[in-house]
Amino acid sequence: MDQQHKKTGKGLSRRELMRDGAIAAAGLTVGIGATNTEAAGKKDKTRSYNPEMEYRPLGRTGLWISAVCLGGHWKRVDKMVPGVFKSGKWLSADIESDGFKKNRRDVVSKCIEVGINYIDACTSQECQAYSEALRGRREAMYLGFSWYQEEMRKPQFRNAKALLGTLDKAMRICKLDYVDLWRPTMLEQSGRHTEGEVEEMMKALETAKKQGKCRLTGCSTHDRPHIKKMIEQYPDILQVVVTPYTARSKQLPQESMFDTMRKCGTGMFGIKPFAGTSLFKGDSSIDSPDREEDDERARLAIQYILCNPAVTAPIPGLINTHQVENLAKAVKERGNELTMDEAKKLENAMDEAWAKLPPDYQWLKDWEYV
């Protein structure tokens, strides 16, 4: 359990969390459909509110979330902390090293400063790293949580008992008393799960919420038809979906996943807004000669994605405080739509990104129409 939480009495107790969940279930919180006056009275009470940041309702959950958030991945953090990767893979980062811990804490601090109030952690390493970065200030940000190594992607964890065991284990390791959003990671094509496996996951989510271990429930998957089907079957449990949405995605004119999400009031966090790192020309280092152009590309991508009101927020991974400030600038300066010049720049940049997508990211091209 979070000892800081226990000692100070600050933040939410499990009893308070269960109370808030009951209020939300009774329909007393304000979300989609709120009047302008109601909305204004709610969103300025969100975590780490900054008047220069835009906040959007997370579906009908009653929470207001910053228009850009912090994704868990740190794919190029070795540019900031040389030698931090134990192998060539980003998940091999030494999360116990002083340099890595400082980098993550600095990035989280800058997020709080500019009004970014949600972190999405989807691996055991991310859950541990961001729980540590939030130590002593847990109530400054909402935390999305998935220990994907021991969730739905592995057959032995496709039952309620095992999933709840994973959550308990993960919270114990991370010294957390609760998480804001538990969103287990399913198979990328989650339609491959049996109906029974899906029912078991829903049972686990419902149980965890009743026990006060999470405020909200949802899932992560890349399967649009299955997302639509699951939301229709379990609208009160799938409150939030974490799924891809790039700077080239657009809504289908008919039978879009977003039609169902709007109807059921589902919140959505969009992963891969920069097509991994393929959108960028440089290597994301501070002294990259392409830094200025890459900053502009990042801002345009965020501004484009936010033109779809069904997307609560894109959640890019960020490796330094400059990137945090750049995305806060994107939100502050955005209009209702891109200008023709901006749209052309982004189109050309995404053409380049599509051309250099690595083999394991080719599937992103299937997310042009959602």
Side-chain angles (χ1 to χ4, degrees):
M1 298 303 152
D2 189 334
Q3 297 304 311
Q4 179 74 17
H5 175 92
K6 292 280 189 181
K7 290 178 181 178
T8 64
K10 295 178 181 179
L12 291 173
S13 67
R14 186 167 293 178
R15 179 177 295 176
E16 290 169 329
L17 189 68
M18 294 174 73
R19 177 206 63 198
D20 288 354
I23 291 173
L28 298 179
T29 55
V30 179
I32 290 177
T35 65
N36 290 337
T37 301
E38 289 173 323
K42 284 287 182 179
K43 67 182 178 182
D44 64 356
K45 294 179 175 61
T46 191
R47 294 184 178 179
S48 296
Y49 176 76
N50 185 319
E52 295 190 341
M53 173 58 65
E54 176 186 348
Y55 295 90
R56 293 154 78 106
L58 184 60
R60 290 198 177 102
T61 67
L63 298 190
W64 288 83
I65 302 296
S66 52
V68 64
C69 298
L70 177 60
H73 294 3
W74 48 70
K75 288 194 172 180
R76 291 179 168 181
V77 77
D78 59 324
K79 303 301 178 184
M80 302 302 302
V81 188
V84 72
F85 293 165
K86 297 176 183 177
S87 70
K89 304 290 186 179
W90 68 273
L91 270 181
S92 73
D94 181 2
I95 64 173
E96 295 299 325
S97 71
D98 291 341
F100 178 84
K101 286 184 177 181
K102 183 179 185 305
N103 174 272
R104 290 299 84 194
R105 191 167 183 88
D106 287 349
V107 166
V108 169
S109 296
K110 182 58 68 171
C111 285
I112 293 169
E113 179 185 323
V114 303
I116 292 174
N117 66 2
Y118 175 83
I119 301 174
D120 191 78
C122 69
T123 71
S124 62
Q125 295 91 332
E126 292 172 19
C127 291
Q128 292 175 75
Y130 290 112
S131 296
E132 177 64 26
L134 283 172
R135 196 79 64 216
R137 50 184 180 172
R138 174 66 182 86
E139 296 307 308
M141 298 186 80
Y142 300 111
L143 179 63
F145 201 83
S146 169
W147 199 273
Y148 94 96
Q149 289 94 333
E150 297 180 14
E151 290 178 341
M152 294 290 287
R153 289 193 177 185
K154 293 187 178 179
Q156 65 267 40
F157 295 101
R158 294 174 189 167
N159 62 80
K161 182 178 178 180
L163 288 168
L164 288 166
T166 293
L167 179 62
D168 287 341
K169 169 187 170 180
M171 289 171 60
R172 183 173 63 253
I173 291 172
C174 294
K175 301 178 183 177
L176 294 173
D177 191 45
Y178 76 98
V179 299
D180 293 288
L181 168 65
W182 186 28
R183 32 73 101 220
T185 303
M186 305 180 77
L187 292 172
E188 291 181 357
Q189 296 302 315
S190 56
R192 290 161 49 197
H193 288 297
T194 67
E195 288 188 12
E197 289 170 351
V198 174
E199 287 178 5
E200 286 292 306
M201 185 186 79
M202 298 301 170
K203 186 189 300 183
L205 291 170
E206 203 166 26
T207 300
K209 191 173 181 181
K210 287 179 179 177
Q211 293 175 344
K213 295 174 183 176
C214 61
R215 178 197 300 259
L216 305 173
T217 52
C219 74
S220 172
T221 170
H222 301 177
D223 193 333
R224 291 191 302 280
H226 196 229
I227 290 170
K228 184 175 184 294
K229 179 180 178 181
M230 286 192 294
I231 292 173
E232 290 170 346
Q233 289 183 315
Y234 304 97
D236 295 329
I237 301 176
L238 279 192
Q239 297 173 284
V240 181
V241 171
V242 182
T243 198
Y245 199 88
T246 75
R248 181 154 275 179
S249 298
K250 51 191 75 70
Q251 181 172 327
L252 280 169
Q254 293 182 336
E255 298 184 357
S256 169
M257 176 185 79
F258 290 117
D259 294 332
T260 300
M261 294 177 73
R262 275 189 288 266
K263 178 182 177 181
C264 296
T266 310
M268 175 187 160
F269 290 112
I271 66 172
K272 306 295 186 288
F274 304 143
T277 56
S278 296
L279 179 63
F280 304 125
K281 297 178 71 173
D283 64 0
S284 300
S285 59
I286 291 294
D287 58 355
S288 169
D290 300 301
R291 175 170 149 174
E292 185 174 341
E293 182 174 353
D294 283 347
D295 282 352
E296 181 182 35
R297 289 183 174 201
R299 291 195 303 272
L300 290 176
I302 295 301
Q303 290 166 350
Y304 169 84
I305 291 169
L306 291 178
C307 289
N308 184 344
V311 179
T312 304
I315 50 173
L318 304 171
I319 64 167
N320 56 50
T321 58
H322 169 78
Q323 289 183 346
V324 177
E325 291 173 336
N326 185 54
L327 296 195
K329 179 180 178 182
V331 175
K332 182 179 178 180
E333 295 181 351
R334 86 179 190 89
N336 292 327
E337 59 183 26
L338 298 184
T339 66
M340 290 183 63
D341 181 57
E342 290 170 337
K344 186 62 178 176
K345 281 185 178 180
L346 184 58
E347 181 183 7
N348 291 339
M350 285 303 296
D351 284 343
E352 292 179 23
W354 253 216
K356 63 180 183 182
L357 276 177
D360 58 339
Y361 268 45
Q362 290 295 316
W363 59 268
L364 271 179
K365 295 177 181 178
D366 295 332
W367 280 82
E368 287 202 35
Y369 291 93
V370 183

